[in-house]
Amino acid sequence: MEKDGRDRILKELQAGYNLPALSPVAFKLVEMASDDSSSAKDLADLIGKDPSLAVRLLKIANSAFFQSGEPVSTLEQAVVKLGFQRIRVMGLSLSLRDTFPMGKVGAMDYERFWRSSLYRAIIAKSLAQHRGNCNPDEAFVGALTLEIGFLILFDIFFTSQPEPFPGDPDDLERILPWEEDRLGINHREVGKAALSFWKFPESILACQRLYGKEALAEEAPPLARVCELGRVLGGLLLRKGTDFPSLFAEAKRCGGLDSDLLNDILLETFTQVQEIADQLRLALDGEKDLLGLMERANQALSRISDHLSDKEKTPSKTSLPSFESLQEEGALVVTRTLQAVAHEIRNPLVAVGGFAKRLASTLDPSSEGGKYAQFILEETRRLEAALSRMTTPEG
């Protein structure tokens, strides 16, 4: 596509052409929430014209997602509790989600898209709360809408065409160049134009412009950095092939997050995800996703256990020798081997152990997840004891 074609599409999108229509209440909500003369009663009366939106905003106001104050029973109380800005962005988010279909359409899996977006959004909100460097509610909305242009691009170019369309917007390093080469425009540009037309705040529009190293750089806006880190961690969390310790290693590398902070964020995410999914009308099984992560933690323990197995039971070149056998080969070999143990085994073991301890303390011990967490915790303790025996000289 030539540059004039790209410019034409952006101009049309900025004018609302080709964009799915948000509800009239959502548009009016933006105007009133930005008007200093509007009262809480004015906003409550407007929201009341959309019964579905009203019920969902009331539930959100009383959810664990916005923990503060007494429960609310009226829309006016919800407006006062959440505030005009939060009402605006949450109302827009709910309306935006309702604008698109669900299920699978050709190569587009809408359920998978919104599931990924929701996990990313909750992680970003939690990061913003812990870091205190940007508004947590804007972090939620900025991350939720981070790849919204992907849906619009699909709707414009691919719904009526058999042409192949890559179905994973999280792989930005691959997908954005593909879009540029094939279409002359990428979905982040489309997303920025759409969010601008829908009157989302400028701080959220800025998140569309940055990704990868640029978004994580020190000079990047804090909101963009939080949303990008939410994207990275959310992608790793939901990607089945991701090794459990790799999640912790990447959190440290990209965002400087230690294991305790990441454990807090993961637990907060799984605590909140089901409730918000229900408000967004997403068919999501948070408990199943949590069990999947626990299974990866258990697999990591199995690999650690293999490393610690007796050489006779696991006759592999990569098996660790016993401390007794190393004593005969000299102190230098012992030192080097123990350093390898610390690097290859202790770090992932600490990551799994910390996660299991936090999880076991929050889950019902009689639940499936609680029993599994307790099993992982006991196995972690067993391996920690074995590692300690192996790396501690006798006498």
Side-chain angles (χ1 to χ4, degrees), residues 26-38 43 84-85 87-89 92 198-201:
F27 263 116
K28 187 65 177 175
L29 188 61
V30 173
E31 296 176 10
M32 292 184 67
S34 305
D35 185 353
D36 292 338
S37 65
S38 298
L43 259 70
F84 280 24
Q85 172 71 356
I87 281 285
R88 177 175 75 164
V89 294
L92 276 171
W198 287 323
K199 302 185 185 300
F200 275 67

Side-chain angles (χ1 to χ4, degrees), residues 11-255:
K11 191 172 182 180
E12 290 176 348
L13 289 170
Q14 288 162 356
Y17 180 72
N18 271 330
L19 288 177
L22 293 181
S23 74
V25 169
F27 263 116
K28 187 65 177 175
L29 188 61
V30 173
E31 296 176 10
M32 292 184 67
S34 305
D35 185 353
D36 292 338
S37 65
S38 298
S39 67
K41 185 177 184 305
D42 293 332
L43 259 70
D45 289 343
L46 172 65
I47 295 168
K49 294 178 180 179
D50 186 336
S52 174
L53 180 62
V55 169
R56 291 154 78 189
L57 282 174
L58 267 175
K59 287 183 177 179
I60 286 176
N62 285 313
S63 71
F65 199 60
F66 295 115
Q67 308 168 23
S68 62
E70 297 296 320
V72 301
S73 57
T74 69
L75 281 173
E76 191 169 344
Q77 290 173 340
V79 171
V80 171
K81 178 178 179 180
L82 297 179
F84 280 24
Q85 172 71 356
R86 187 180 284 174
I87 281 285
R88 177 175 75 164
V89 294
M90 290 307 299
L92 276 171
S93 298
L94 292 172
S95 298
L96 186 60
R97 156 60 193 88
D98 291 345
T99 298
F100 293 93
M102 292 307 289
K104 194 166 184 179
V105 179
M108 176 61 72
D109 188 337
Y110 287 93
E111 290 281 358
R112 177 185 175 192
F113 175 89
W114 286 111
R115 173 174 175 257
S116 175
S117 299
L118 181 57
Y119 273 101
R120 177 173 63 239
I122 296 177
I123 291 172
K125 180 178 184 286
S126 183
L127 278 166
Q129 287 173 323
H130 283 283
R131 289 185 161 180
N133 59 355
C134 58
N135 185 298
D137 304 317
E138 286 200 350
F140 176 83
V141 177
L144 185 74
T145 58
L146 202 56
E147 311 302 342
I148 196 67
F150 193 73
L151 299 185
I152 299 168
L153 204 62
F154 175 79
D155 190 55
I156 294 173
F157 289 104
F158 293 96
T159 50
S160 60
Q161 299 180 26
E163 190 171 356
F165 183 71
D168 185 6
D170 291 327
D171 188 6
L172 292 187
E173 287 71 17
R174 180 182 66 86
I175 190 66
L176 292 181
W178 185 93
E179 292 168 349
E180 291 275 4
D181 181 63
R182 186 68 60 90
L183 308 173
I185 191 171
N186 68 61
H187 74 264
R188 283 295 187 90
E189 294 175 300
V190 170
K192 181 176 178 294
L195 295 176
S196 177
F197 175 76
W198 287 323
K199 302 185 185 300
F200 275 67
E202 174 57 36
S203 55
I204 290 177
L205 300 183
C207 298
Q208 293 287 323
R209 292 192 286 267
L210 299 173
Y211 72 93
K213 293 181 180 179
E214 290 184 351
L216 293 171
E218 289 293 329
E219 60 272 17
L223 184 62
R225 291 171 63 191
V226 161
C227 288
E228 176 65 12
L229 189 52
R231 183 184 75 84
V232 172
L233 296 180
L236 289 171
L237 185 66
L238 296 178
R239 197 172 300 141
K240 292 182 179 179
T242 302
D243 178 64
F244 183 85
S246 298
L247 178 61
F248 286 77
E250 195 67 7
K252 182 70 174 178
R253 187 186 70 82
C254 291

Side-chain angles (χ1 to χ4, degrees), residues 243-246 248 259 263 293-294 296-304 345-359 373 376-377 379-381 383-384:
D243 178 64
F244 183 85
S246 298
F248 286 77
S259 58
N263 279 323
L293 182 62
M294 292 166 68
R296 279 184 273 165
N298 192 37
Q299 289 169 357
L301 289 182
S302 294
R303 288 189 290 273
I304 292 171
I345 296 178
R346 195 176 295 281
N347 288 345
L349 188 56
V350 167
V352 176
F355 174 69
K357 289 172 187 174
R358 297 289 182 90
L359 202 56
I376 293 174
L377 181 57
E379 180 66 4
T380 301
R381 288 169 176 163
L383 292 174
E384 286 173 343

